[in-house]
């Protein structure tokens, strides 16, 4: 450090005022304030606010989801949704042709084919639901037949809407019942059985007439075709998902069956991960007869959306469980696609379609579990049961089904199992 | 000895840089100081070792309970379908090669500018996509493959070869991705060239948009569309091609996966819920010549400063190369900054 150059100190011409440093301090404070202010303003981003003001702020309005046959919904606070079974004789008297509107169309390109199209009577509702309601009230008071007819057509609109979600059913049992197949007594037993079970475990019930889905399958001849009629199971389930949007699981259990042990809680019995994991059949052929495609070895119970059972020959859809989330719904909707319904090479209707879907689409297969039939779909057997039978009902099983019955047999089988269930009443 | 080696100039060897040498020397010096001063102090040494261990674990592994400062991959990936046909059925001439080069360079620049991923997929004619062997739709397979290839990406933007990004400075986020609900229309009441049914039961439009497509005069157009990774898209990609549906519809499905999607859209609520439409000119503007039946409809045709041009159908009787060159020049002109006069 040699010489350092610095200005020679001069005594100032005037002494600095005593408050000079104070002023500087204040100025510095001021600038600090200004900077803070600017930072806050920038942080609040007034430009963004003005931009968002100029942007179209209202998001697009889209129509609400609506039921299959009507743009309107009717809400109920009861978690047991079922048609008034006592209307069965009246509906039978009215007949299919009065319950829906059928029109026959001849296609110009194929004049030999007689195409029928079925529309729900909901299509002729007044646009204003309140006018329609008062109109129906008058009709209902006038005759029991119109009342049955109106209740029948309105079934599609009913959705569950509780006052609060505290007791929202976690599982809903879905059944389609046919007033042409069972007597009033039989129907009552079927419905009562589901409701008893749901009541014991705080589940919901969703029951509809098979005939209500005529507009979906679009012809009476399809309805009389046993295999085509099976599709109604899936449509009914889709309607149930709409009626109970917050339910986690839906169990479709067809009318030809009874829950024999109402003490079993379906959730603890099948649905919990640690319960489902050991009973999922892994590497099980989708088609038991020629098993080229098999269920995955390592699929996890947590990702299962669809739980099905098999008979000795094929997949069965008289009792299956589906999860009510976006993937579960998508699987069901893909399955119910019109092109599968119309495909002539599906001999067993939805059963064949599901077999096809699982064999061709690995994503859906990975979300599906096959469980032993006797868990939720034990079969009624007319002959004594052999040792090691995995299919037929043995006393103590959860449910019993008689899907292959002929008309009178069905009623008799139902009566038999009902008497087993309620020995006192018979 | 070492100096001798350095001076030995008969062999090729990397040039020694005295600057780096100096840094190395000073580093060594510092390290020595560090050794003598700090590492002898065992506490500091332990802390340092601890920090380095944590940094190492954080950067190079994926152990739990640690924040990982990994640079994640791009959020948007462009898929460019190149080499269409692959010269199998038709000679691939110099003009075809030129188109391909222009298109690829354009997408490359765009992806680089905005940090997007880009993958160029070969669309050579393959036996497994021919009618008798039909195993799937090619587009679907490529989409699935790309989703596996970029496991961190969210959006996948499919672009046909005959497209050109005219305004490369616009990012997809500012263009529409950040404001999807307002930019897209979900039900077909607005614009419905196919006259599909506008109303399906059970459709819940509150679901997020997972697929963004456009409609031209002939219906859905998959020349430029986007898909978001989700369980929905995984399922759609799985079921898009179904043999039972294909068997019934292959005579009607002229445009393959495009028609199949239209069929699914018109019957399935789950598809409808998550498809959002953009106006054609937003990502897929047509040149005059496409949609020639409706040549006076301004909704279809490119106007200056539209984002992307898609020379759809130029291989059928129009001049692809001419159009490509025209729009390339136009884009260059439109993108020229105001302060450049030549």
């Amino acid at each position: 450090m040699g010489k350092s150059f610095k200005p020679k100190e001069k005594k100032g011409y005037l002494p600095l005022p005593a408050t000079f440093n104070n002023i500087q301090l204040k100025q510095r404070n001021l600038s600090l304030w200004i900077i803070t202010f600017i930072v806050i303003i920038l942080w609040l981003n007034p430009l963004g606010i003005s931009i968002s003001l100029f942007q179209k702020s209202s998001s697009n309005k889209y129509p609400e989801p609506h039921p299959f046959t009507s743009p309107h919904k009717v809400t109920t606070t009861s978690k047991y949704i079922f048609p008034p079974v006592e209307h069965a004789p009246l509906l039978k008297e009215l007949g299919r042709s009065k319950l829906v509107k059928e029109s026959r169309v001849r296609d110009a390109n194929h004049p030999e084919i007689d195409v029928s199209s079925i529309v729900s009577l909901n299509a002729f509702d007044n646009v204003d639901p309140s006018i329609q309601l008062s109109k129906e009230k008058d009709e209902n008071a006038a005759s029991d037949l119109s009342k049955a007819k109106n209740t029948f057509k309105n079934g599609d609109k009913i959705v569950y809407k509780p006052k609060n979600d505290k007791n929202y059913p976690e599982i809903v049992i879905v059944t389609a019942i046919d007033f042409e197949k069972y007597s009033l007594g039989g129907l009552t037993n079927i419905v009562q059985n589901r409701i008893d079970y749901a009541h014991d475990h705080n589940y919901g019930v969703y029951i509809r007439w098979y005939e209500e889905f005529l507009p979906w399958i679009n012809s009476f001849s399809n309805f009389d075709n046993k295999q085509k009629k099976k599709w109604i199971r899936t449509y009914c389930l889709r309607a149930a998902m709409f009626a109970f949007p917050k339910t986690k699981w839906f169990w479709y259990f067809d009318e030809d069956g009874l829950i024999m042990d109402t003490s079993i809680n379906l959730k603890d019995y099948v649905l919990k991960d640690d319960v489902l994991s050991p009973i999922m059949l892994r590497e099980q052929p989708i088609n038991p007869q020629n098993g080229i495609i098999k269920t995955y070895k390592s699929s996890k119970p947590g990702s299962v959306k669809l739980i099905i059972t098999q008979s000795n020959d094929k997949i069965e859809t008289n009792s299956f469980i589906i999860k009510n989330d976006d993937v579960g719904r998508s699987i069901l909707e893909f399955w119910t696609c019109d092109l599968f319904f119309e495909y002539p090479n599906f001999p067993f209707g939805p059963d064949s379609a599901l077999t096809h879907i699982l064999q061709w689409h690995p994503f859906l297969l990975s979300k599906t579990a096959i469980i032993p039939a006797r868990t939720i779909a034990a079969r009624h057997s007319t002959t004594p049961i052999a040792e090691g039978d995995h299919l037929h009902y043995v006393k103590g099983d959860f449910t019993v089904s008689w899907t292959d019955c002929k008309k009178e047999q069905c009623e008799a089988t139902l009566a038999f199992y009902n008497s087993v269930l309620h020995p006192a009443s018979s | 000895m070492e100096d001798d080696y350095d001076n030995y100039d008969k062999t090729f060897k990397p040039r020694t840089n005295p600057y780096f040498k100096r840094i190395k020397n000073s580093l060594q010096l510092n390290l020595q100081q560090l050794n003598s001063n700090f590492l002898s102090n065992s506490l500091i040494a332990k802390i340092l070792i601890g920090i380095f261990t944590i940094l190492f674990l954080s950067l190079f592994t994926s152990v739990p309970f640690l924040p990982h400062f990994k640079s994640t991959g791009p959020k948007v990936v462009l898929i460019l379908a190149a080499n269409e046909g692959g010269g199998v059925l038709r000679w691939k001439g110099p003009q075809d090669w030129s188109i391909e080069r222009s298109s690829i360079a354009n997408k490359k620049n765009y992806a680089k500018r905005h940090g997007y991923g880009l993958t160029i997929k070969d669309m050579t004619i393959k036996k497994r996509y021919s009618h008798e062997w039909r195993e799937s739709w090619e587009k679907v397979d490529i989409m699935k493959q790309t989703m596996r290839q970029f496991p961190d990406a969210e959006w996948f933007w499919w672009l046909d070869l005959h497209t050109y990004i005219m305004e490369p400075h616009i990012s997809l986020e500012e263009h529409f991705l950040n404001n999807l609900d307002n930019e897209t229309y979900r039900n077909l009441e607005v614009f419905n060239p196919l006259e599909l049914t506008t109303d399906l039961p059970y459709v819940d439009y509150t679901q997020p948009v997972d697929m963004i497509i456009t409609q031209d005069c002939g219906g859905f157009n998959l020349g430029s569309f986007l898909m978001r990774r989700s369980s929905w898209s995984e399922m759609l990609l799985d079921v898009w091609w179904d043999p039972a549906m294909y068997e019934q519809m292959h005579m009607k499905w002229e445009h393959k996966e495009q028609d199949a999607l239209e069929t699914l859209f018109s019957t399935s609520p789950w598809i409808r819920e998550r498809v959002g439409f953009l106006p054609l000119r937003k990502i897929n503007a047509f040149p005059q010549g496409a949609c020639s039946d409706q040549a006076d409809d301004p909704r279809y045709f490119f106007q200056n400063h539209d984002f992307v041009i898609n020379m759809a159908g130029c291989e059928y009787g129009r001049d692809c190369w001419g159009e490509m060159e025209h729009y390339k020049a136009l884009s260059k002109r439109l993108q020229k900054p105001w302060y450049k006069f030549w």
Side-chain angles (χ1 to χ4, degrees):
Chain A
M1 292 292 173
K3 257 184 168 179
S4 66
F5 297 97
K6 54 184 175 184
K8 274 186 183 168
E9 270 182 59
K10 282 182 188 171
K11 295 284 176 215
Y13 301 110
L14 279 170
L16 286 173
T19 52
F20 180 77
N21 284 327
N22 284 4
I23 292 169
Q24 258 191 339
L25 206 71
K26 262 181 197 164
Q27 271 179 343
R28 200 182 294 152
N29 256 351
L30 200 71
S31 62
L32 209 75
W33 276 113
I34 289 170
I35 288 168
T36 319
F37 186 69
I38 289 171
V39 164
I40 288 174
I41 289 284
L42 282 178
W43 180 61
L44 288 174
N45 193 8
L47 212 67
I49 294 170
S50 60
I51 285 171
S52 65
L53 275 178
F54 284 113
Q55 266 176 353
K56 195 170 65 176
S57 55
S58 63
S59 77
N60 295 327
K61 282 263 177 291
Y62 295 112
E64 292 249 305
H66 66 81
F68 184 64
T69 59
S70 168
H72 304 292
K73 295 189 276 191
V74 178
T75 57
T76 174
T77 53
S78 163
K79 60 187 171 209
Y80 310 120
I81 297 178
F82 59 97
V85 182
E86 65 276 14
H87 285 173
L90 296 171
L91 294 172
K92 225 170 174 175
E93 191 186 326
L94 281 163
R96 295 173 194 173
S97 54
K98 289 225 173 77
L99 292 172
V100 288
K101 174 91 177 81
E102 191 204 23
S103 44
R104 303 199 147 265
V105 211
R106 271 189 201 280
D107 192 346
N109 298 326
H110 308 279
E112 71 284 357
I113 301 173
D114 190 22
V115 186
S116 88
S117 128
I118 294 180
V119 186
S120 161
L121 296 182
N122 280 328
F124 308 100
D125 276 4
N126 195 304
V127 189
D128 186 348
S130 58
I131 296 176
Q132 178 65 25
L133 197 71
S134 64
K135 189 180 138 207
E136 279 174 22
K137 218 171 205 173
D138 297 343
E139 285 174 5
N140 292 353
S143 87
D144 279 350
L145 276 179
S146 334
K147 189 179 179 187
K149 195 164 135 184
N150 282 330
T151 322
F152 175 84
K153 92 180 167 66
N154 287 334
D156 199 31
K157 299 175 191 168
I158 299 171
V159 296
Y160 174 60
K161 197 177 180 210
K163 289 191 187 75
N164 58 40
D165 286 352
K166 222 166 60 190
N167 268 333
Y168 209 100
E170 212 173 313
I171 297 173
V172 168
I173 303 141
V174 185
T175 304
I177 52 175
D178 184 356
F179 57 73
E180 292 175 358
K181 189 170 184 180
Y182 286 99
S183 70
L184 179 56
L187 291 168
T188 315
N189 287 337
I190 292 167
V191 174
Q192 191 62 52
N193 177 253
R194 272 64 167 175
I195 291 178
D196 286 347
Y197 178 70
H199 183 79
D200 286 355
H201 301 284
N202 198 21
Y203 293 162
V205 164
Y206 188 81
I207 299 176
R208 296 277 299 275
W209 296 116
Y210 260 100
E211 286 78 0
E212 285 182 71
F213 295 93
L214 276 166
W216 202 321
I217 65 173
N218 231 349
S219 90
F220 291 140
S221 59
N222 280 342
F223 193 79
D224 292 327
N225 178 333
K226 196 181 171 213
Q227 302 302 334
K228 287 266 181 196
K229 192 180 165 189
K230 276 186 187 171
W231 281 100
I232 288 174
R233 298 165 175 174
T234 57
Y235 306 147
C236 184
L237 184 55
R238 185 63 192 86
M241 282 181 168
F242 180 70
F244 291 88
K246 290 177 190 164
T247 291
K248 285 186 189 141
W249 290 94
F250 286 92
W251 173 29
Y252 182 84
F253 187 50
D254 204 33
E255 59 174 351
D256 303 318
L258 282 181
I259 300 164
M260 295 306 282
D261 188 347
T262 49
S263 69
I264 290 174
N265 186 333
L266 187 67
K267 193 186 171 200
D268 302 333
Y269 177 61
V270 176
L271 297 179
K272 282 191 175 158
D273 284 0
D274 51 341
V275 183
L276 183 58
S277 188
I279 59 170
M280 283 165 74
L281 300 177
R282 294 162 204 274
E283 299 200 295
Q284 167 77 7
I286 306 302
N287 184 346
Q289 294 303 319
N290 71 56
I292 303 159
I293 309 289
K294 296 171 182 171
T295 53
Y296 291 112
K297 194 178 182 177
S298 57
S299 49
K300 290 188 179 62
S303 65
V304 167
K305 312 287 180 191
L306 174 66
I307 301 171
I308 51 172
T309 63
Q310 290 172 318
S311 62
N312 289 330
D313 310 313
K314 63 180 179 61
I315 283 174
E316 295 290 339
T317 55
N318 62 316
S319 173
F320 63 97
I321 300 171
I322 202 158
K323 195 166 195 183
N324 187 27
D325 62 4
D326 52 348
V327 175
R329 267 196 307 277
S330 303
I331 293 175
L332 182 67
E333 282 170 7
F334 179 64
W335 181 13
T336 58
C337 190
D338 289 350
L339 281 173
F340 289 142
F341 175 75
E342 284 153 15
Y343 191 55
N345 298 342
F346 285 157
F348 302 105
D351 311 359
S352 308
L354 189 60
T355 311
H356 162 87
I357 290 169
L358 295 181
Q359 288 185 333
W360 279 92
H361 302 297
F363 177 80
L364 280 81
L365 181 58
S366 72
K367 305 283 174 205
T368 305
I370 299 179
I371 59 171
R374 271 177 56 199
T375 46
I376 56 167
R379 288 282 188 102
H380 160 70
S381 166
T382 44
T383 52
I385 289 143
E387 191 73 25
D389 188 313
H390 297 296
L391 186 62
H392 290 103
Y393 174 78
V394 177
K395 195 171 182 303
D397 281 351
F398 180 39
T399 63
V400 62
S401 303
W402 50 90
T403 35
D404 298 333
C405 61
K406 299 282 171 306
K407 205 165 184 191
E408 293 76 23
Q409 275 177 0
C410 303
E411 189 84 43
T413 320
L414 170 64
F416 168 72
Y417 281 109
N418 199 53
S419 69
V420 174
L421 255 182
H422 306 285
S425 64
S426 59
Chain B
M1 188 68 198
E2 209 169 21
D3 281 345
D4 281 341
Y5 184 73
D6 278 347
N7 294 330
Y8 185 68
D9 55 7
K10 293 267 163 54
T11 52
F12 293 101
K13 60 181 186 308
R15 197 157 46 148
T16 49
N17 192 334
Y19 179 68
F20 282 117
K21 224 176 201 172
R22 227 181 308 150
I23 287 182
K24 217 172 86 185
N25 286 343
S26 68
L27 260 177
Q28 271 172 353
L29 203 76
N30 279 338
L31 262 174
Q32 279 166 8
Q33 279 178 350
L34 218 89
N35 268 331
S36 55
N37 294 340
F38 294 110
L39 288 189
S40 55
N41 189 335
S42 65
L43 182 69
I44 291 177
K46 273 176 192 164
I47 290 174
L48 270 177
I49 290 169
I51 288 172
F52 276 117
T53 317
I54 288 173
L55 265 177
F56 177 81
L57 288 175
S58 165
L59 289 171
F60 303 116
T61 68
S62 54
V63 288
F65 311 115
L66 257 187
H68 294 284
F69 307 102
K70 254 188 273 180
S71 67
T72 49
K75 281 277 158 272
V76 180
V77 171
L78 275 65
I79 305 170
L80 180 64
N83 198 20
E84 249 163 295
V88 173
L89 298 181
R90 202 172 51 85
W91 187 254
K92 198 167 160 181
Q95 295 195 334
D96 296 312
W97 287 103
S98 160
I99 291 167
E100 207 166 282
R101 271 199 304 275
S102 307
S103 182
I104 290 173
N106 173 245
K107 306 320 181 280
K108 257 188 186 158
N109 287 336
Y110 182 72
K112 198 174 167 192
R113 187 161 180 174
H114 298 284
Y116 300 152
L118 169 68
T119 172
I120 298 161
K121 295 291 177 189
D122 178 63
M123 298 279 281
T124 324
I125 289 176
K126 295 182 189 80
K127 196 176 182 182
R128 67 169 182 274
Y129 299 121
S130 67
H131 173 67
E132 312 82 67
W133 293 86
R134 178 66 69 188
E135 283 170 13
S136 175
W137 307 118
E138 191 164 11
K139 215 169 256 188
V140 171
D141 282 354
I142 289 174
M143 201 57 135
K144 280 193 224 172
Q145 189 190 358
T146 314
M147 285 191 174
R148 279 197 301 273
Q149 200 179 335
F150 294 86
D152 294 324
E154 189 187 0
W155 282 99
F156 295 86
W157 183 17
W158 175 280
L159 281 164
D160 276 355
L161 181 66
H162 295 132
T163 54
Y164 200 85
I165 299 170
M166 299 293 283
E167 302 281 317
H169 58 93
I170 301 176
S171 75
L172 290 175
E173 284 84 358
E174 65 176 292
H175 199 39
F176 55 84
L177 281 185
N178 285 345
N179 193 15
L180 260 188
D181 282 340
N182 287 332
E183 296 286 355
T184 56
Y185 59 97
R186 308 279 286 273
N187 62 350
L188 293 175
E189 268 155 30
V190 192
F191 177 55
N192 191 3
L194 286 173
E195 291 172 1
L196 298 174
T197 170
T198 52
D199 175 67
L200 272 191
Y202 306 134
V203 179
D204 174 14
Y205 288 108
T206 57
Q207 305 277 347
V209 173
D210 276 354
M211 187 179 193
I212 304 171
I213 56 177
T214 55
Q215 294 189 95
D216 62 28
C217 52
F220 292 8
N221 186 302
L222 295 183
S224 164
F225 72 99
L226 291 98
M227 251 181 140
R228 193 215 299 266
R229 178 198 304 282
S230 67
S231 54
W232 179 89
S233 43
E234 205 180 332
M235 178 153 166
L236 172 61
L237 291 174
D238 190 10
V239 305
W240 201 331
W241 189 82
D242 181 279
M245 294 184 176
Y246 184 73
E247 190 185 326
Q248 294 172 80
M249 302 300 281
H250 67 91
M251 299 292 276
K252 292 177 201 158
W253 284 349
E254 264 178 63
H255 300 287
K256 300 175 181 171
E257 62 276 324
Q258 205 162 288
D259 288 335
L261 185 67
E262 280 168 8
T263 307
L264 285 174
F265 182 89
S266 59
T267 54
S268 312
W270 69 281
I271 298 283
R272 204 166 268 237
E273 278 169 358
R274 296 197 177 213
V275 172
F277 295 96
L278 281 176
L280 190 71
R281 279 178 46 206
K282 197 98 188 170
I283 54 168
N284 204 10
F286 276 13
Q288 294 289 341
C291 273
S292 49
D293 299 346
Q294 297 174 39
D296 48 352
D297 194 331
R299 285 177 297 188
Y300 303 129
F301 301 110
F302 178 84
Q303 289 168 20
N304 284 357
H305 301 296
D306 278 352
F307 182 42
V308 174
I309 179 98
N310 179 5
M311 289 143 255
C314 67
E315 61 270 44
Y316 303 106
R318 300 196 336 252
D319 175 14
C320 283
W321 182 77
E323 284 184 19
M324 182 59 101
E325 289 304 305
H326 168 72
Y327 284 106
K328 203 169 134 186
L330 181 64
S331 173
K332 205 173 170 187
R333 206 178 73 221
L334 291 173
Q335 298 311 312
K336 196 171 75 175
W338 58 271
Y339 48 82
K340 277 198 175 167
F341 299 105
W342 56 88

